[in-house]
Amino acid sequence: MPTTRRRRNAATAVVEEQAAEMDEEQRQEEDHAQDQEQSQVIARLKFKEPLSWTVGKAIPVAELLTRLEKLFKELKDYEQDFVERDSLTSVANDLVQPKLLDHRDKGVRAYTACCLVEIFRLCAPDAPFDEKQLQGIFTLIAKFVLPALADPSDPYNTQHSHVLDSLVKVKSIVLLVDISASSSLILHIFTSCFDVLSGSSKASSGEEIGKNVEFHMTALLETLIDEAQMLPDQVVEIVLAQFLRADPRVLQGSGGKGKKSSPVDSRQSTLLMKQAPPAYNMAMNICNSQPEKMGRYITQYFSSVIMNVSGAGSGLLLSKSRSKAKAKDNEETDSEETSGPSEANLKELQKAHRLARELWRATPDVLQNIVPQIEAELAAENEDIRLLATETMGDMVAGIGAAGPPSPPMLDPAAYPSQSLQISRGPTEYNFLTTPNSPHAFNTVYPTPYQTFLGRRNDKSSRIRAAWTTTIGRIILTSAGNVGLDDTDESILLQYLAAMLMDGDEKVRLSAVEAIDLFSFQDFVLKLGKAGGVAESGSILCNLSERMKDPKHVIRTEAMTLLGKIWGIAAGAIAEGNERVHQLFAPIPSRILDTLYINDSAINALVDDVLFDSLFPLQYPPLKTKQTNGTLQKSRSHINGDSQLDRQPDEAFSADKIRVERMLLLVRDLEPRAKKVFFAFQGRQTGNAKVMDAFLRKCEDYNGGVIETNEAEIKKQLRGLIDWNAKTLPDPAKAVEDLQKFAKMHDRRSYALIRFCTALESDYRKVQKAIKELTKRIEESLGSGASVLDTIKHLVWRASIIFYNISHVPAIVDFARTDEKGLSSTAHEVLKDISTQNPGIFRTHVKELCEGLIQQAPSAKQSNDPSAVDTLKACAGFARKFPQEIPNDRKFLQSMVNFALYGSPPQAAKYAVSVLMSGPKKEMHAKDLAAQCTKDFQYGSPHFVSELATLSQLIVLAPVELENDIDAIIDIAINRVLLTHQPNSDICSEKDWHVHPDRHLQARTWALKILVNRLRGLPPATTDIGEVAAPVYKLLTTLVSNDGELSKTEESPKPHRIALRLQAAQLLLKLSVHSKHLDQLLTPSSFNNLATIAQDPTEKVRDGFIRSLMKYLAVGSASKLPSRFYVPIFLLAFEPAEQLKSSAQTWLRARTAALQRARDTTMEAVFVRLLSCLSWHPDFDSEGDEILGSVPYLLFYLTSVASADNLPLIFHVAQRVKTVQDGISEDADAVGREQANERLYIVSELAQAVIRRFAEEKGWSLQAWPGKLSLPADIFARMSGHEKAQEVATKQYLAEEVGERLEGVVRVWVRGKKRKAEGRERREAKKKVKRQTEKGEKKARAVRTPQKRRRVESEDAAPSSERRRSGRTKGGTSYVEQDDSEDERDMERWNQSDDVEEDDNEDEEMEKSSNGEDREMKGEGEDGEDGETEMPDAEPETKRTSRSRTKVLANRSMANGVAQGSTGKKAAVKKGRTPIPISSDKESDTDLSDPPESEQDV
């Protein structure tokens, strides 16, 4: 019988442990005498019944069970060391007989095992069994007793539990390790224990396995591991397999070789475990109790796996440098050996790394020798191994186990109350498998491997960088496994993640976006928000917004969808005034809408998806079935105390008010550039609705393909509408196919549903239900309905009344009145846009608007609220289109009269007059108002400006009714306002521009409008229009040429002169728009003077004038400006304000592209007028090199208009100039006419030379133009004779040296653009992002950006703010390249309306201009996809020396105190370089193409 000292020590330890556990109180109560007597008596076993039998005389099972039970009870009652061991020998020999150990009855086996473990206890430390008998005993325990514990309902479960309990307490399990063939039994015991805990947790009765079983099994296995000298490899694999059970991807029986397949615990097959499974806990406790020994076993396992992988190829786990050295020494190595690990080996390695992840979460102490091995893999040459190591170490840092990261949060932008207001919600449901948990800070325990891991961000493989990016996102998300990151480490990781969003490889950028998608809204605020908001350059949110312009559509989609959801959720907190959330996320809608400027149909469709799914969800707020708004909100108000949640819906349209609040929040925070897109989007809806209606009518005529008459015509018209709609969608070919399927479906109910969506009278709920039903019908009707549905959905969205819905008007008005949440100004802005875009929406609510105006009506002693102006404008717009629906009751009309007489600001009076003039009592009101305004008119009275505004509007809307009062009105405007000396005590003459114009300036402005509106109100057939208009034109041209000054004796304040000069120029444009007869009164000489406004010293003047030009020249105007008014825009070559310059050039390119598609040569023909204007330009100088000063104008024209196709025509235009004479100088003497002709011919030859050089640089052929072209007779005259024509044709007016110097100027202008384009191509080819460099630094292959210009000027030079083109040019030549960001300029959208609406807009522009606001007006956009979209890189400013000015310029210079004639000096302009993010942010020359007005337009 084997006995060891270890066994004796174990038995002694058991005795001491039992003595310590005895209850002290019970021991004191026992009879001391009996205890003493018992301790002196050694008992003998009383059991004498036989337990063995002979063949043929077997003991019945019942009898045998009775005997075994009796024996067990007797043995159990004996105390250890107080029984005679010799008396146990007989029963011990009987119990180990195979007849009992292998008995078929489980009860017999159970009691036999109980008796044996009791003998182990009583005979400790020397068991009365030999090695063979011990093997049989432990075989019984391993194969029958332990597996039986899996069923708690077993009738002998108590006996089985007793065996386990005794083995643990007595530690008799140590006898197993002394058996020579114990390995198989140890393996069997481990297998049985883990099978019990990892199998079915419940028996048929539903009773669970007791916790004591798990505890005792764990202690049993811990004892075995502690006592065993060496564990079998299979045992280690079994233990490790329990950790892989946390991975739902692991199949049954994957524990290792030789492991018995066992059923997987049902709780391990789900990701919603609330606690670790018992088998997992047992393995974890085993490893934690024996970290050193288990660590050695686990390290051996990893080493064997790694060796198997490394054996698949030489140098797979070597570092890159060592691998290269080894490859050099073994050049003849077979290529198959270095090809990489096999698929099977790689799978095994992946399994080992998943195990490492889980071990870090459960028992990190066993990984001390494994982490360095993973660190070595990070530098392996094989990419798959590096990838696996990167993912593993990243997940270990993040505390993510084999089951993977937690599921992404559900971001619901349509939820109400908003998720952003539910910060203090209860804890989310605990998920054991996916809840990140790191027991230690990885970067603290293993600093060197952590730094090695961070270095993988620069890995040459994009796969590695993408995986690294994913893990970095997880680390930030989980706060390093909920251990926490210090501020420094977190800041570094945020910087790395932001940089990965700008990586040159698309996989890395996509991984970065997907990593951010795992963050919840609170994580965005508390974690990602630490790096800054969307508006902060270089932050994660800012770089994420840049990805919305990514060249790859999948990245754009992911980024835009995520940002849209984030803002949709943040809207709730923004509405409640959360400044932090507002700072972080408010610019998101602006960034989303800005992408429309790229003019890509795929992006446009994506913006539609985000707009109606996230920013303004169609189902927002969600309403439960059979539940009113009040019930809904009351049921939710208990969530927390935020006002959004507690809001009580007093009105019936509370859901509409909630939507309106969100819409106003969206509009309020939009940047000006994005706001134009939003309003243009609403303006486009009307046209889209018309096209949709035309399409539906043609579908009805098509009748599913069964056409009775006009089949060819109907198909042609239907195909035209389909083609037009398809062009606006990402895949036109697929869209055509989808729309044809929809037409063939011929579902009349679908037609009706779409018409519900576009009808003005449809409320929001009706539109919402119609879209929902339409979606369902298409899905049910078409087998491949998904594509058709997506196509129809976008078209319906664009044509539906969603934002400007009749249901929203009352709420908008309510916000405008109450200024709730500071949304009043935005509500007024929206009302104003509705009145312009679609005033019919007010039809249902016009009474409410009018009642509000009645309440706000002013009086002689009480002023009105300034916010009433927007409501008045809305009513005025509605009254023009639906005059019969405006109330005619006395109270309302009297309130309009009060607004006309006492309204403030003056625009209120103007709109009130418009409302009155649309009513049936127009004549009465016109005469009464005129009489009250002209009678006893006194300059400076409290309401004299409002009276002037009223007269201005009356004179254009009721010219016939005011025929008798015209003279009095004109007298007031001229003699009592314009020519009246005005006190300037309240005027700061030092400022160039008044932010808030004073009453005197407003009075002069309205007086000028009175004079102009007098001409606009004249009937078209007026014969003496020239006589009436001549004084007005003289007055306006005097203001233009005389720097806004009318008085000959006194000087007006400078801000007044600047504002009046701009006003005069804009009014001249308005007159030219109104009538061709009036336009003819603007002589060529006056026109040239007017063109110089584009180069006014004040930027506000230049900006307002150019934008008015673009507005009136836009397509869609009922009566637009003549083509000669394109000329002033081309004078922006030296414009210092890049925003204005680039915007104008983008607009010119779009106009050119649109006209070319219409086969219109207007832009080419206008070149001749530009040449004439340049010859009369005050800065023109034909002497020496000064002639080069005109070259930038020509190049600006060519880069805006010229293409390979139209350049021959432009060259022909330049040539034709030498076949005529100047017609502007006909009134001059012979010398003056000859000088004018010479200037004209010099400009012509200069233009020809520039065009030749331009064509050479572009690589375009310059062929002869075959057509004929007539030149304008108003600026040119015929040659005096053939001899004169021959002389001019043969004479060279341009000096040869000028032509030679011209080559360099054109080359720099053109090639600067080419160099930038090539640089961009190189960057895209290399897919590399460059860091932004400091100003002035130079780095190879970076995009150049302009630096701030420094000018070196003479002492007598005027300030830059007071100089025109000559003053702005420098004495030297500078070719400054533009940044790519300067190429991203908007294509302005210019809306047009009737004359009165234009007058309204003009007044608003003047008001905004006076207030220093952005005055970019909306209008018709052009599709510029055929035009150039690249801005020129260099725009040279040629050396100039200003010569003497004309009289007009001299007067202006004197007024500004500018000494003319000074010569500029060269300016030093440094060329800096800065990188750009890899993104498709080059904008097209247009933003939004308006739909045609009818199907005939299509």
Side-chain angles (χ1 to χ4, degrees), residues 717-761:
Q717 293 178 356
L718 178 62
R719 182 55 191 251
L721 288 163
I722 289 176
D723 289 342
W724 189 92
N725 282 313
K727 287 191 302 183
T728 64
L729 298 172
D731 189 350
K734 185 64 176 176
V736 169
E737 181 181 348
D738 293 338
L739 291 175
Q740 288 175 343
K741 287 182 180 179
F742 179 78
K744 290 180 181 179
M745 187 174 70
H746 194 54
D747 183 10
R748 295 187 179 277
R749 176 60 180 171
S750 296
Y751 300 159
L753 292 172
I754 295 176
R755 288 191 171 103
F756 290 156
C757 296
T758 60
L760 288 179
E761 60 273 11

Side-chain angles (χ1 to χ4, degrees), residues 566-586:
I566 290 300
W567 187 90
I569 295 173
I574 293 174
E576 300 303 328
N578 190 317
E579 291 296 332
R580 175 63 174 166
V581 175
H582 183 273
Q583 176 189 2
L584 293 176
F585 308 117

Side-chain angles (χ1 to χ4, degrees), residues 48 90 139 260 287 296 299 632 676 979 1061 1399 1450 1458:
K48 300 297 182 180
S90 177
T139 300
K260 178 182 175 181
C287 292
R296 290 197 301 270
T299 302
L632 169 67
K676 293 170 193 170
L979 299 182
R1061 188 165 188 249
D1399 189 40
V1458 179

Side-chain angles (χ1 to χ4, degrees), residues 56-323:
K57 296 182 179 180
I59 303 174
V61 174
E63 179 64 22
L64 184 58
L65 283 174
T66 302
R67 295 177 184 180
L68 288 173
E69 183 180 3
K70 180 180 179 182
L71 175 61
F72 167 64
K73 289 181 178 180
E74 183 178 354
L75 292 173
K76 184 179 178 182
D77 291 337
Y78 290 127
E79 294 292 335
Q80 196 175 25
D81 295 333
F82 292 96
V83 64
E84 188 175 336
R85 296 186 180 183
D86 293 341
S87 63
L88 302 177
T89 304
S90 177
V91 294
N93 292 331
D94 290 343
L95 289 173
V96 294
Q97 296 298 318
K99 296 177 181 179
L100 291 178
L101 295 179
D102 299 331
H103 199 282
R104 64 183 180 180
D105 185 79
K106 58 183 180 181
V108 173
R109 293 196 301 269
Y111 276 108
T112 300
C114 288
C115 294
L116 287 171
V117 295
E118 286 302 318
I119 291 177
F120 280 154
R121 179 179 64 85
L122 296 174
C123 296
D126 299 319
F129 305 111
D130 57 21
E131 182 175 339
K132 183 178 180 180
Q133 291 172 336
L134 287 175
Q135 186 173 1
I137 294 171
F138 285 111
T139 300
L140 169 66
I141 294 172
K143 290 186 177 181
F144 299 107
V145 176
L146 294 180
L149 290 169
D151 185 7
S153 62
D154 190 290
Y156 300 101
N157 184 67
T158 303
Q159 287 71 31
H160 299 151
S161 299
H162 177 78
V163 172
L164 178 62
D165 180 72
S166 179
L167 288 174
V168 172
K169 290 183 178 180
V170 182
K171 293 191 177 180
S172 52
I173 191 65
V174 300
L175 296 172
L176 177 61
V177 301
D178 292 330
I179 302 176
S180 58
S182 62
S183 298
S184 60
L185 285 174
I186 292 176
L187 176 61
H188 216 121
I189 289 176
F190 272 85
T191 301
S192 298
C193 289
F194 282 110
D195 283 348
V196 168
L197 296 185
S198 63
S200 177
S201 62
K202 293 184 179 181
S204 58
S205 62
E207 185 179 355
E208 295 184 358
I209 297 176
K211 279 290 182 181
N212 62 322
V213 175
E214 177 186 344
F215 173 77
H216 288 144
M217 282 187 172
T218 302
L220 180 73
L221 300 185
E222 289 176 357
T223 303
L224 274 177
I225 294 174
D226 183 41
E227 295 294 334
Q229 294 292 333
M230 181 65 65
L231 287 178
D233 293 340
Q234 294 88 342
V235 170
V236 177
E237 292 180 5
I238 289 173
V239 175
L240 296 181
Q242 310 313 311
F243 296 103
L244 289 178
R245 291 178 184 275
D247 186 356
R249 294 169 292 184
V250 176
L251 300 177
Q252 295 184 17
S254 60
K257 298 179 180 180
K259 179 184 181 300
K260 178 182 175 181
S261 296
S262 58
V264 179
D265 190 345
S266 61
R267 287 178 295 180
Q268 293 177 324
S269 64
T270 175
L271 294 179
L272 296 178
M273 285 187 178
K274 296 183 179 181
Q275 60 184 1
Y280 183 98
N281 280 333
M282 185 164 66
M284 179 179 65
N285 292 330
I286 289 173
C287 292
N288 285 330
S289 65
Q290 303 290 334
E292 294 183 3
K293 183 173 287 189
M294 290 303 299
R296 290 197 301 270
Y297 293 141
I298 295 172
T299 302
Q300 291 174 5
Y301 168 77
F302 270 87
S303 299
S304 64
V305 173
I306 293 175
M307 290 302 297
N308 290 337
V309 174
S310 62
S314 176
L316 290 178
L317 298 182
L318 297 177
S319 66
K320 299 179 183 179
S321 58
R322 291 177 58 195
S323 178

Side-chain angles (χ1 to χ4, degrees), residues 1267-1330:
K1268 294 182 179 181
L1269 182 69
S1270 299
L1271 300 184
D1274 58 332
I1275 58 174
F1276 296 116
R1278 294 181 178 274
M1279 287 286 189
S1280 57
H1282 177 71
E1283 295 180 356
K1284 181 64 176 178
Q1286 189 68 21
E1287 176 187 352
V1288 172
T1290 57
K1291 183 178 178 179
Q1292 181 176 349
Y1293 291 87
L1294 187 66
E1296 294 182 0
E1297 58 271 15
V1298 174
E1300 295 174 357
R1301 296 196 59 183
L1302 192 63
E1303 180 178 359
V1305 176
V1306 178
R1307 181 183 296 113
V1308 172
W1309 188 288
V1310 176
R1311 289 193 177 182
K1313 174 180 176 179
K1314 288 184 178 179
R1315 284 197 300 271
K1316 184 172 72 173
E1318 292 169 359
R1320 183 182 296 107
E1321 292 173 359
R1322 289 196 298 270
R1323 287 193 304 275
E1324 293 178 355
K1326 293 187 176 183
K1327 301 290 184 183
K1328 182 177 181 181
V1329 177
K1330 301 177 181 175

Side-chain angles (χ1 to χ4, degrees), residues 802-832:
I802 296 177
F803 285 95
Y804 291 172
N805 190 277
I806 59 173
S807 299
H808 296 159
V809 172
I812 297 174
V813 173
D814 185 57
F815 276 106
R817 291 175 181 170
T818 62
D819 196 24
E820 182 179 347
K821 298 187 178 181
L823 296 174
S824 176
S825 60
T826 306
H828 284 294
E829 192 173 5
V830 171
L831 285 174
K832 186 189 305 181

